[in-house]
Amino acid sequence: MTSDKRGMHGIWASRWTFILAAVGSAVGLGNIWKFPYITGENGGGAFVLVYLLCILVAGIPVMIAEVLLGRRGRMSPIHTMQAEARRQNAPRFFSGIGWMGAVSGFFILSFYSVIAGWTLAYIGEMASGTFNGADATVAGETFGNLLGSPWVLLGLHTIFMIMTGFVIARGVKHGLEDGVRLMMPLLFVMLILLLGYAITTPGFGQGWNFMFSFDFSKLTTESIVVALGHSFFTLSLGMGAIMAYGAYMPSEASLTKTIFTVAFLDTLVALVAGLIIFPIVFSHGMEPAAGPGLMFQTLPIAFGALPGGAWIGTAFFVLVAIAAWSSAISIAEPAVAWAVEKGIKRGTATIMVCVLAWVLGVGTVLSFNEWGDKQFFVTETISESVTDPVSGEVSAKTLSSSFHLYANTTDLKAVPLAEGTERAISGKTFFDILDFLTANILLPLGGLAIAVFVGWLMRREDSANELQADETVYNVWRFMLRFLSPLAILFIFINGLL
Ligand code: PHE
């Protein structure tokens, strides 16, 4: 029934084009924006180590499985999974993996576009010289002003979504290939340049230690879940993006080598981004746990201090925007390819997908201003500081702690406190929920399903045929996919839920 759809979207010009496109998908806001800030929030080195382990144990084996499935199916992930699940006589659940991925894709695209819009704003800010000689205060205020303007954010979100739609509508070959070929190398050059600057800052040693000295006491179960989720997010796994790209991969290209290259480059970019950002954080007495604003509040200071920094900074944000652009395209591709296979014109399909994601994105826009205090899963703890009479040490003693499924944090804060007590509130905004749900739940679940499917349900000769690797490589990969990857994902999940 579906054989007429096979390969209807075109094939990459060569193995290298696939690598470029896959790196274009993998390297994006996840590496430059998200990785540094979650590393900051989760205490540094130990988190980085867990993240690297997750890439190795779960990310790479699942990535190979996903591309293998895509290339075998040569269709959108939804149709590929339906066809392949039938061919392998797998339980029905597995034919739905593609659908789950498409849903995750909508969620991700909706907020991804909003954050990418911030990078567009920073192109303008850099070019107009806002940050010349700027300190942490100026950088913080500029960012705060941006987040406080929902209309500006909405406009930028709209522009970015149109940019994304434009490339997708042109098709993978013409839209995607040309873009990534030029931009990816430039981004690398720029990162190396910035790393050179970071090395000269007084905070470099501290930044390095923050990222690479392992203090396991800082590691919580939630950090481990976040590290696992991020390893999927950063490699574009668990939702079909890389499977869709695999569908356009030439048959003779070596899968394992190709994927190692992609994963290596992606990890390298993330680590370098961290090594640029944290030295600046420490050189300027900033907070590593600043959250989503981290990149936007640190890098401008670096540019402001460099001769010609306004220009370098402008170029840098242009490149980050392009990296985000090439990722956003891949997030939307599975849904668009599916619609095209259903007989809808590529242009129309693109508009449908982008409009839907755009509407959902409005929630993320508002999360940073109007809806900032409307939060879910809110815990409020009231504590008092007590001074130990013997040692004189001051510590916080929790007096009460309450949980609300939903709360308006402004209302919570309005309730007066007893003297000498303090209140801490933590909750999740609309954006936080989408981010958490996709990266930490849906993507790892998608990855788990793919590992089980390819590792356990797909006939050995089928995967061996598609992989075309030598015996040892194949066996190592299959072992990891059957045992290590699913167990690691399950273990982290179960621990995280308890
Ligand atoms: N990997 C991309 C990044 O790190 C984001 C992404 C997630 C792309 C899921 C495709 C699918 O920015």
Side-chain angles (χ1 to χ4, degrees):
M1 155 207 144
T2 41
S3 63
D4 54 329
K5 294 175 194 148
R6 291 195 152 211
M8 66 187 281
H9 310 287
I11 296 283
W12 303 113
S14 70
R15 181 172 95 94
W16 272 99
T17 324
F18 172 82
I19 294 186
L20 274 175
V23 172
S25 167
V27 173
L29 295 173
N31 309 62
I32 304 166
W33 162 73
K34 193 173 180 190
F35 172 73
Y37 96 70
I38 56 177
T39 300
E41 285 181 338
N42 291 285
F47 175 82
V48 174
L49 185 68
V50 176
Y51 155 78
L52 291 175
L53 280 175
C54 289
I55 294 267
L56 219 62
V57 169
I60 294 176
V62 169
M63 197 174 193
I64 294 176
E66 234 188 282
V67 177
L68 178 154
L69 278 171
R71 191 167 75 174
R72 221 174 115 77
R74 292 248 180 266
M75 288 180 287
S76 68
I78 293 179
H79 283 135
T80 290
M81 285 315 303
Q82 287 172 346
E84 197 60 42
R86 214 174 307 124
R87 217 175 304 156
Q88 306 293 343
N89 293 319
R92 276 202 59 154
F93 162 81
F94 290 92
S95 63
I97 297 180
W99 276 112
M100 187 169 100
V103 173
S104 319
F106 273 111
F107 290 168
I108 296 175
L109 184 59
S110 78
F111 69 77
Y112 205 82
S113 167
V114 175
I115 314 287
W118 300 356
T119 65
L120 296 180
Y122 269 65
I123 296 173
E125 295 285 0
M126 290 293 350
S128 64
T130 308
F131 297 110
N132 290 345
D135 57 10
T137 320
V138 174
E141 277 170 6
T142 311
F143 185 66
N145 288 340
L146 174 67
L147 290 199
S149 325
W151 287 107
V152 176
L153 296 185
L154 189 68
L156 296 163
H157 166 49
T158 311
I159 296 174
F160 186 81
M161 199 59 96
I162 293 174
M163 288 165 54
T164 304
F166 179 75
V167 179
I168 305 172
R170 294 191 45 165
V172 169
K173 290 228 17 143
H174 302 290
L176 292 180
E177 279 197 33
D178 303 346
V180 285
R181 191 167 302 185
L182 183 69
M183 304 310 168
M184 283 299 129
L186 274 179
L187 183 69
F188 279 92
V189 172
M190 197 61 121
L191 285 171
I192 302 295
L193 196 94
L194 278 174
L195 182 63
Y197 166 77
I199 292 175
T200 66
T201 62
F204 186 73
Q206 214 181 335
W208 177 278
N209 283 338
F210 182 73
M211 279 187 68
F212 297 121
S213 56
F214 314 124
D215 176 357
F216 285 97
S217 67
K218 288 189 185 144
L219 209 59
T220 63
T221 337
E222 175 158 350
S223 322
I224 299 177
V225 175
V226 173
L228 176 77
H230 187 65
S231 69
F232 282 93
F233 183 85
T234 191
L235 292 177
S236 310
L237 297 179
M239 52 75 66
I242 221 71
M243 195 189 294
Y245 277 17
Y248 317 141
M249 189 176 180
S251 309
E252 62 289 349
S254 154
L255 263 177
T256 41
K257 239 193 277 164
T258 306
I259 281 164
F260 267 107
T261 314
V262 175
F264 173 77
L265 289 174
D266 184 75
T267 309
L268 188 69
V269 171
L271 294 178
V272 170
L275 280 179
I276 294 169
I277 286 177
F278 289 114
I280 301 173
V281 167
F282 293 116
S283 301
H284 291 268
M286 298 164 92
E287 212 12 84
L294 186 66
M295 167 181 109
F296 296 93
Q297 296 176 42
T298 49
L299 293 185
I301 300 180
F303 294 122
L306 284 170
W311 290 110
I312 310 178
T314 309
F316 177 80
F317 280 102
V318 169
L319 291 169
V320 176
I322 292 168
W325 196 5
S326 61
S327 300
I329 292 160
S330 73
I331 303 172
E333 180 62 20
V336 172
W338 170 80
V340 170
E341 288 160 5
K342 281 287 176 198
I344 299 172
K345 280 213 199 71
R346 199 166 168 98
T348 318
T350 304
I351 294 174
M352 284 166 33
V353 170
C354 290
V355 167
L356 216 70
W358 182 87
V359 172
L360 196 60
V362 176
T364 294
V365 165
L366 295 175
S367 297
F368 295 100
N369 36 69
E370 309 294 322
W371 290 358
D373 56 2
K374 304 193 175 22
Q375 300 190 1
F376 302 85
F377 308 106
V378 180
T379 27
E380 182 189 24
T381 19
I382 313 261
S383 57
E384 138 190 86
S385 43
V386 277
T387 316
D388 190 301
V390 186
S391 68
E393 243 173 63
V394 187
S395 61
K397 182 175 155 232
T398 306
L399 298 177
S400 74
S401 169
S402 56
F403 176 80
H404 317 256
L405 206 52
Y406 169 82
N408 186 319
T409 54
T410 309
D411 296 347
L412 289 183
K413 284 180 199 145
V415 179
L417 279 173
E419 189 146 344
T421 61
E422 253 178 77
R423 170 188 284 133
I425 291 178
S426 78
K428 290 197 185 319
T429 61
F430 183 84
F431 159 71
D432 295 330
I433 300 257
L434 277 189
D435 174 38
F436 192 87
L437 178 70
T438 50
N440 301 344
I441 298 178
L442 291 173
L443 299 187
L445 268 184
L448 177 63
I450 286 164
V452 171
F453 182 74
V454 176
W456 291 95
L457 301 168
M458 189 182 235
R459 280 180 287 274
R460 190 188 162 94
E461 75 247 32
D462 286 344
S463 58
N465 251 336
E466 192 62 48
L467 199 62
Q468 295 287 348
D470 71 54
E471 193 64 21
T472 336
V473 173
Y474 177 81
N475 285 333
V476 171
W477 166 72
R478 191 171 147 97
F479 173 79
M480 292 184 76
L481 196 68
R482 283 166 76 95
F483 299 99
L484 293 186
S485 319
L487 285 178
I489 300 172
L490 271 178
F491 178 77
I492 293 175
F493 255 141
I494 292 169
N495 264 309
L497 288 180
L498 293 181

